[in-house]
């Protein structure tokens, strides 16, 4: 099996904010891959609060510093909730701005390394959920156009029940360790991830 | 208790290479601090294979991107084994080069945020251990001069027994999950860390 360095790039949901176990979904699916015998080196490049436009500015330099000639490089992105979040009554980014940033990020990514995208999750705020759902559908269309496998976290985690309930015990946005474990479980069962790490 | 974003900056021992649990010592001491009730957001900025000179070039931009006006920023460094490592029979950095890079890094760090330094660990290669021990003593002197608390991993982990034995089951350099847990245990008991996170 190939040795693999995977950069997980995105926002607080990537960094695992509020996870008592300090793993997030990225740490959990990496540990599960190691348990299956894969030599995976995860690099967590999630930053709390970042929008797609902020991620666009820094992801490439950070990911380049983490490559090695001895190991295959792979990229996994997740962002969107901060784009759709209202700060002082104003949405941080309109859908068209998110789409532009995501297109620039993903076009650069796929020309360089194999890439996956994880969509933004639902939370406890119904008005924001409607905006996240719309943005997730837009990101899914973009990924379809670019042939980037897209994991629809929004739908999967609404269906699961555990995830959204867990956000209510935290801050209404971020899941507990149990919520991150649920998210990791559904991503780990995703065929596009298992193509990389059977 | 203050909310805190802690950047853990360094090499493969920071990133937790070969840890089946994908936590490393940084993830484990962060989870332990959360279990004590602290609102800690860890950012793992370890990169496999990096020397002090490589870390010098990228740490500040990466750490700056991870600050927030809502949370205190803190810095924890660990590096040295790659400096002392021989590649094709040649030591990667002489002690004087490591000392220059470490001085530049730490002087910039302490002028900006509260800073701790974790020294490089022993491993299964006796000739390299002698070089790591000498470098660790040099880094300890530098930290004394700069008033940066320094954790002598080399001495603590040689004494523990578990750590070095665990590297022999991995690659002779990196510990297993049990070895990372041992390293985390001794750092977590270090008074300088507990001043930050009682």
């Amino acid at each position: 099996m190939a040795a693999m360095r995977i950069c997980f790039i995105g926002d607080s949901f990537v960094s695992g904010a509020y996870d008592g176990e300090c793993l997030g979904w990225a740490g959990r699916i990496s540990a599960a891959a190691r348990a299956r015998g894969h030599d995976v080196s995860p690099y967590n490049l999630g930053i709390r609060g970042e929008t797609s436009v902020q991620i666009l500015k820094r992801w490439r330099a950070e990911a380049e510093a983490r490559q090695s000639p001895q190991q295959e490089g792979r990229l996994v992105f997740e962002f969107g909730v901060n784009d759709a979040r209202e700060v002082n009554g104003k949405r941080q980014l309109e859908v068209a701005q998110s789409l532009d940033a995501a297109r620039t990020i993903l076009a650069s990514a796929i020309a360089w390394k194999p890439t996956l995208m994880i969509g933004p999750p639902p939370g406890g705020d119904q008005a924001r959920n409607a905006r996240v759902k719309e943005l997730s559908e837009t990101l899914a269309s973009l990924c379809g156009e670019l042939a980037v496998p897209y994991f629809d976290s929004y739908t999967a985690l609404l269906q699961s029940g555990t995830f959204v309930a867990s956000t209510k015990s935290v801050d209404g946005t971020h899941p507990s360790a149990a919520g991150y474990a649920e998210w990791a479980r559904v991503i780990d069962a995703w065929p596009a991830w298992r193509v990389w790490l059977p």
Side-chain angles (χ1 to χ4, degrees), chain A:
Chain A
M1 296 175 184
M4 208 178 274
R5 293 191 178 197
I6 306 176
C7 290
F8 294 95
I9 300 159
D11 58 19
S12 58
F13 297 106
V14 175
S15 72
Y18 296 99
D19 179 3
E21 299 181 24
C22 293
L23 282 165
W25 56 265
R28 285 175 173 81
I29 63 173
S30 297
R34 291 198 68 88
R36 294 196 298 275
H38 297 286
D39 182 11
V40 172
S41 295
Y43 288 100
N44 192 313
L45 298 172
I47 301 185
R48 294 181 66 169
E50 283 207 340
T51 65
S52 56
V53 167
Q54 290 173 297
I55 292 162
L56 167 60
K57 289 177 186 160
R58 55 101 188 162
W59 81 269
R60 183 70 186 242
E62 292 185 355
E64 285 184 356
R66 286 157 176 82
Q67 303 305 311
S68 160
Q70 280 83 46
Q71 289 137 359
E72 288 184 30
R74 305 289 174 108
L75 306 169
V76 180
F77 292 90
E78 185 280 329
F79 52 78
V81 169
N82 291 310
D83 293 30
R85 187 158 61 102
E86 291 186 344
V87 176
N88 301 324
K90 188 173 178 305
R91 181 179 173 133
Q92 294 209 93
L93 292 178
E94 297 304 324
V95 172
Q97 295 174 301
S98 297
L99 182 60
D100 277 355
R103 184 185 294 279
T104 304
I105 290 168
L106 294 172
S108 164
I110 60 177
W112 183 43
K113 300 286 178 191
T115 300
L116 300 176
M117 173 127 200
I118 309 297
D125 178 330
Q126 291 313 313
R128 187 167 69 198
N129 276 352
R131 299 193 298 273
V132 169
K133 181 173 190 286
E134 180 197 15
L135 178 56
S136 179
E137 289 166 357
T138 303
L139 292 170
S141 295
L142 172 66
C143 285
E145 182 191 324
L146 299 174
V148 172
Y150 182 81
F151 184 81
D152 179 358
S153 302
Y154 187 87
T155 302
L157 296 174
L158 263 191
Q159 285 168 354
S160 89
T162 309
F163 183 90
V164 175
S166 92
T167 68
K168 290 172 187 166
S169 69
V170 182
D171 64 349
T173 298
H174 296 91
S176 66
Y180 279 113
E182 173 66 4
W183 199 353
R185 192 186 64 73
V186 292
I187 297 171
D188 195 42
W190 183 34
W193 172 251
R194 287 300 184 106
V195 167
W196 286 8
L197 298 160

